[in-house]
Amino acid sequence: MHEGKCKNFYLFFDFKTFEQIGMNGLKKIIPAGHVADVDRYTIENEPVTSLELMERAAGRWVEKAVEIFPGKVKIAVLAGKGNNGGDGYVIARLLSEKGYEVVVYQLPGTLKSPECEQNSRRWGGERIELADAAAFQPHPEVWIVDALFGTGLDRKVTGRARELIRKVNGLPNRVVAVDMPSGLMGEDNSQNDREAIVRADYTLTFQFPKLAFMLPENEPFVGKWQVLDIGLHPQGIAGVETEYYYLSEELVRDLLPRPSVFAHKGMNGHALLIAGSRYMMGAAVLAAQAAVRSGVGLLSCHVPRAGVEILQSTVPEALIETDRSEYCFSCLGDLGRYAAVGCGPAIGKDALTVKALEELLMRWRGKLVLDADALNVLAENRALLPLLPAGSILTPHPKEFERLAGKSGNDFERLNNLSNFAHHYGVVMILKGAHTVIATPEGKCYFNMTGNPGMAKGGMGDVLTGVLLALLASGIEAREAAMIGVFAHGLAGDIVAEENGMRGICAGKVAETMGKAWKILE
């Protein structure tokens, strides 16, 4: 963290900038090693010269940057020797043309990229060659544009560049990164030198987000980030293989079925929610409220006898199936009438509950979503994991996933472990958090782009369970239900944040607001 800096690492973006071509609106996260391939395809097939493409990218960057700068601030551009440095020289020129006072700082040595060399020559303003990091002494009110290293970096930064990055990170100045914070690698940073990565306040990245942006451990480096559409060729993007995608409103709209004019409650599915225990009925209420606001035809709630009156008074739309136990989930009734089952919110880990969950997994082969205590029971009784029906949805938060799959050394390793777990057990995994990620048995990962930090509160997972249960019961398959449900759940949270502020968000309000989210998506 910069000394003397106040940072708010909240994602900012406009969905209108997320217009890359993908199958039915599915958006790709291109591996860093293939970004240059898309650039090359664009140059060859648009056609456009590499210098023209650099000019276009820098122009889009400047358009957005001037919205961030508080007036005509002074700018210090740190320009590297490759194409990221070339972007920096163009940015310096374009900002100067707009009336900004700009100085370019460069490290000594020969420029390596032809585009960087040519744009360096076109820069007619002040430039300073830094013999060492100590020579970089900008006034605290000067904004720093980081254009040292871009997406193609695949090794630790060393030498003078490392010392310069460390110097930047010790300054109070605001920093805006060009495409990538210098020193950050596109995917795996587990072996990187964290002291040799620029800690940017903002990152304005070209065409698509980078996988590193989605991982919590990189938040201090990326800051607030936005994707800028620079017009890379759609077919060039489509031709790159990737395991990583991000969800868009366009995709979710396409996936969400439109109700028939002749629809009735039977067509929308009958769902069973197994939730709650004595003194812990709030989770059952939240999940049930979310389900009835997410299109379920009929909802039955299996609750202990102590929770019957609470459910009847708070969710009058729900049917009640009473457990024989006063205080916990201990038995099952007839499952034949249900289209989907959700289990876990606040059911506890009583020995009777463990046996009842085992019975559920042995008897039920249909659509299933498991959350909260159901996951904790699985973690403590690993012999139950092979009993999971194919295509089940599991919704752990990071600690619950750690209990299921073991500790991970870093966020990139955890992402791989999530994907491996989904493949091994044939289930859909939803790892909750900022940019909630959905991992499928096929090895694909989908990152969510809705939601906000105000949703980091108790009960949010219970609401998501209800949303997913309703979608499964209505006939939507697990992968698509996960995509739709996670996106809509986050969208409802964003609506509540807009209306009440992030501190005013609570799970009950998100459940209540699901209807507004569906209205937008429908």
Side-chain angles (χ1 to χ4, degrees):
M1 186 70 75
H2 291 223
E3 184 178 348
K5 278 193 179 179
C6 176
K7 289 196 175 243
N8 294 309
F9 296 107
Y10 299 147
L11 169 70
F12 76 120
F13 60 89
D14 178 345
F15 275 113
K16 293 179 182 177
T17 69
F18 284 63
E19 293 299 331
Q20 290 75 40
I21 299 298
M23 184 63 67
N24 298 322
L26 190 59
K27 310 300 184 183
K28 290 183 175 181
I29 298 175
I30 302 295
H34 291 283
V35 172
D37 297 336
V38 183
D39 288 347
R40 192 176 307 111
Y41 188 98
T42 302
I43 290 167
E44 294 172 355
N45 292 274
E46 185 172 336
V48 62
T49 68
S50 58
L51 282 174
E52 288 169 341
L53 183 58
M54 185 173 285
E55 191 83 14
R56 186 162 76 197
R60 286 288 293 115
W61 195 96
V62 168
E63 287 175 10
K64 181 54 60 178
V66 297
E67 297 177 9
I68 298 171
F69 298 148
K72 283 291 192 289
V73 295
K74 295 181 180 180
I75 308 294
V77 176
L78 296 176
K81 301 176 184 180
N83 276 1
N84 196 244
D87 292 327
Y89 283 109
V90 181
I91 287 167
R93 173 168 47 81
L94 295 178
L95 286 173
S96 181
E97 291 171 359
K98 290 182 176 292
Y100 289 86
E101 186 177 327
V102 184
V103 178
V104 174
Y105 293 83
Q106 59 189 40
L107 292 170
T110 304
L111 296 174
K112 298 178 180 178
S113 159
E115 292 82 4
C116 185
E117 178 70 45
Q118 292 186 59
N119 279 305
S120 171
R121 292 173 182 167
R122 294 184 67 188
W123 168 241
E126 183 180 2
R127 76 175 75 210
I128 297 174
E129 188 169 282
L130 297 171
D132 54 48
F136 186 56
Q137 297 283 353
H139 187 278
E141 294 183 2
V142 171
W143 282 58
I144 298 173
V145 171
D146 165 32
L148 289 171
F149 301 101
T151 305
L153 188 72
D154 58 2
R155 63 187 184 279
K156 299 177 186 179
V157 176
T158 59
R160 287 174 174 166
R162 180 183 187 274
E163 293 310 307
L164 179 58
I165 288 173
R166 293 187 67 207
K167 177 64 179 291
V168 169
N169 289 343
L171 296 172
N173 303 66
R174 292 291 187 177
V175 179
V176 189
V178 178
D179 200 26
M180 287 280 285
S182 292
L184 187 68
M185 300 177 201
E187 288 87 31
D188 183 5
N189 284 274
S190 59
Q191 302 302 313
N192 206 346
D193 178 0
R194 294 177 68 84
E195 292 189 5
I197 305 172
V198 166
R199 293 174 178 259
D201 294 276
Y202 301 90
T203 298
L204 303 180
T205 195
F206 298 135
Q207 200 65 49
F208 19 68
K210 283 49 177 184
L211 180 63
F213 297 179
M214 304 295 177
L215 305 180
E217 66 192 6
N218 297 325
E219 180 187 44
F221 310 114
V222 180
K224 301 178 183 180
W225 59 271
Q226 185 163 9
V227 174
L228 306 177
D229 184 355
I230 61 170
L232 295 184
H233 203 293
Q235 292 181 9
I237 296 171
V240 177
E241 293 294 325
T242 181
E243 297 177 352
Y244 305 110
Y245 303 83
Y246 62 93
L247 304 181
S248 70
E249 186 171 328
E250 175 191 359
L251 171 68
V252 174
R253 285 179 187 273
D254 288 345
L255 291 177
L256 193 61
R258 299 297 180 265
S260 167
V261 68
F262 296 107
H264 53 78
K265 61 185 178 183
M267 293 174 62
N268 289 330
H270 190 173
L272 173 65
L273 173 65
I274 303 169
S277 55
R278 186 165 59 178
Y279 309 127
M280 292 287 290
M281 289 305 300
V285 171
L286 290 168
Q289 288 176 337
V292 299
R293 287 170 171 81
S294 296
V296 70
L298 286 170
L299 176 67
S300 289
C301 294
H302 182 106
V303 297
R305 291 203 306 270
V308 170
E309 291 185 6
I310 295 173
L311 256 296
Q312 286 182 328
S313 61
T314 55
V315 193
E317 300 90 345
L319 304 173
I320 305 297
E321 182 180 284
T322 308
D323 197 279
R324 64 182 172 223
S325 169
E326 178 73 20
Y327 61 91
C328 72
F329 168 44
S330 69
C331 65
L332 286 169
D334 178 18
L335 299 176
R337 54 184 175 156
Y338 300 117
V341 175
C343 179
I347 60 172
K349 298 187 294 180
D350 189 275
L352 292 173
T353 301
V354 175
K355 292 299 293 181
L357 180 60
E358 180 180 9
E359 182 184 356
L360 173 66
L361 295 179
M362 293 181 69
R363 289 175 52 188
W364 179 254
R365 306 320 300 162
K367 295 178 179 179
L368 178 66
V369 55
L370 297 178
D371 182 34
D373 284 330
L375 302 178
N376 293 327
V377 169
L378 289 176
E380 295 178 7
N381 300 269
R382 304 189 64 79
L384 300 181
L385 286 170
L387 300 179
L388 290 167
S392 297
I393 299 178
L394 278 63
T395 65
H397 58 57
K399 279 296 182 183
E400 288 167 342
F401 180 66
E402 182 180 293
R403 290 192 281 269
L404 280 169
K407 290 188 176 183
S408 303
N410 54 73
D411 290 333
F412 185 78
E413 181 181 318
R414 183 172 62 185
L415 182 63
N416 287 333
N417 290 342
L418 185 78
S419 183
N420 291 337
F421 190 98
H423 175 72
H424 182 76
Y425 291 105
V427 297
V428 174
M429 297 294 293
I430 298 177
L431 182 62
K432 296 179 289 193
H435 305 309
T436 289
V437 58
I438 301 162
T440 69
E442 299 77 27
K444 304 295 185 183
C445 293
Y446 306 88
F447 292 88
N448 188 39
M449 307 306 292
T450 58
N452 60 79
M455 297 177 72
K457 293 169 184 169
M460 290 295 170
D462 305 320
V463 174
L464 178 61
T465 296
V467 172
L468 295 169
L469 178 60
L471 295 171
L472 290 174
S474 68
I476 301 173
E477 293 304 313
R479 186 186 72 152
E480 288 73 22
M483 293 180 181
I484 296 168
V486 165
F487 190 95
H489 176 253
L491 180 57
D494 289 339
I495 295 170
V496 178
E498 181 68 24
E499 295 176 348
N500 300 284
M502 289 191 190
R503 291 187 181 275
I505 298 176
C506 65
K509 195 68 177 177
V510 173
E512 181 183 320
T513 307
M514 285 308 306
K516 293 182 179 180
W518 297 123
K519 183 179 179 180
I520 291 172
L521 295 174
E522 291 172 348

